[in-house]
Amino acid sequence: MNLHVARCAGGLLWLLVAVFIAGEATAHGGLSMEKDYCKLRVGPYVMHFTGYQPADGYRKEFCEDIPSTGATIVVLDFIDDVLRDLPVALRIIRDDGGGQDLDSATVYHVPPKIYPMGTFSFDYRFEQPGKYVGLVTVGDRNQPVIGRFPFSVGAPFYLRHSSLAALLAIGFGMVYGIWRWRRAAKGAAVA
């Protein structure tokens, strides 16, 4: 590999590192709730969603897709104080694309309860990878408000980070194209 191609590959690697570091540093938006990406909206109410998988080496918190199957801890912190006086329920259903009834699709259910401290947490062991939907219900039976959030469990790395995979593919394609072009130019100069 010639020096020019090596420099291009090194520059691309540093670009990817910078993109990853910037993404990690701004993942939760600092102290501003306006830039908090882990918000869960349930009608007019807002909760902060955080998930953990401490036993599987995923010590970082997540708020979208769950990295792997296994024991998972989810914490919902109520941002709106009015939620402390309303019953909150949770249901996790398997999303297989079929139209099965709610009870047969349910893999985990927490009945309605009031959480006066403003924090609702639960532990669940996801046994199978796949697509799921979380349903958070706020309020009583007469006026319930339901928040729906789809997520996947155990998706491969390249699917969880598809933009990174696309950037890598483009970068390697560019390095390969430059290498081929330089090789062809060198061959034409010799001939």
Side-chain angles (χ1 to χ4, degrees):
M1 184 185 294
N2 67 28
L3 184 61
H4 183 69
V5 173
R7 285 183 180 164
C8 287
L12 180 64
L13 179 64
W14 280 112
L15 176 67
L16 291 174
V17 167
V19 167
F20 251 143
I21 289 172
E24 288 294 321
T26 61
H28 289 286
L31 297 176
S32 170
M33 284 306 295
E34 294 304 316
K35 296 183 182 191
D36 184 0
Y37 298 108
C38 298
K39 286 183 184 176
L40 171 62
R41 295 199 177 274
V42 182
Y45 311 114
V46 180
M47 300 177 188
H48 179 82
F49 178 96
T50 308
Y52 304 92
Q53 286 189 311
D56 292 336
Y58 292 103
R59 300 211 184 277
K60 294 181 181 176
E61 63 184 54
F62 55 86
C63 62
E64 291 179 342
D65 295 333
I66 298 173
S68 70
T69 58
T72 305
I73 301 167
V74 175
V75 180
L76 297 173
D77 291 311
F78 303 160
I79 294 173
D80 295 318
D81 285 336
V82 70
L83 289 169
R84 295 171 183 240
D85 299 325
L86 296 172
V88 176
L90 171 82
R91 185 179 298 263
I92 297 175
I93 61 172
R94 190 146 177 81
D95 185 13
D96 62 2
Q100 76 256 19
D101 67 297
L102 192 61
D103 289 332
S104 65
T106 299
V107 296
Y108 186 72
H109 180 249
V110 177
K113 181 180 171 186
I114 294 176
Y115 298 91
M117 298 302 290
T119 298
F120 167 48
S121 66
F122 66 93
D123 298 358
Y124 182 70
R125 174 173 285 285
F126 287 94
E127 299 293 339
Q128 297 178 342
K131 294 183 179 183
Y132 294 84
V133 175
L135 302 171
V136 176
T137 305
V138 174
D140 59 15
R141 293 181 183 207
N142 297 331
Q143 297 270 334
V145 180
I146 299 174
R148 182 179 193 276
F149 58 99
F151 62 95
S152 66
V153 174
F157 177 83
Y158 62 87
L159 288 179
R160 286 193 319 246
H161 302 284
S162 58
S163 59
L164 174 65
L167 187 60
L168 278 172
I170 291 168
F172 284 123
M174 288 174 57
V175 169
Y176 179 74
I178 291 169
W179 176 75
R180 292 281 306 213
W181 175 72
R182 303 257 308 163
R183 190 170 175 204
K186 220 183 239 187
V190 171

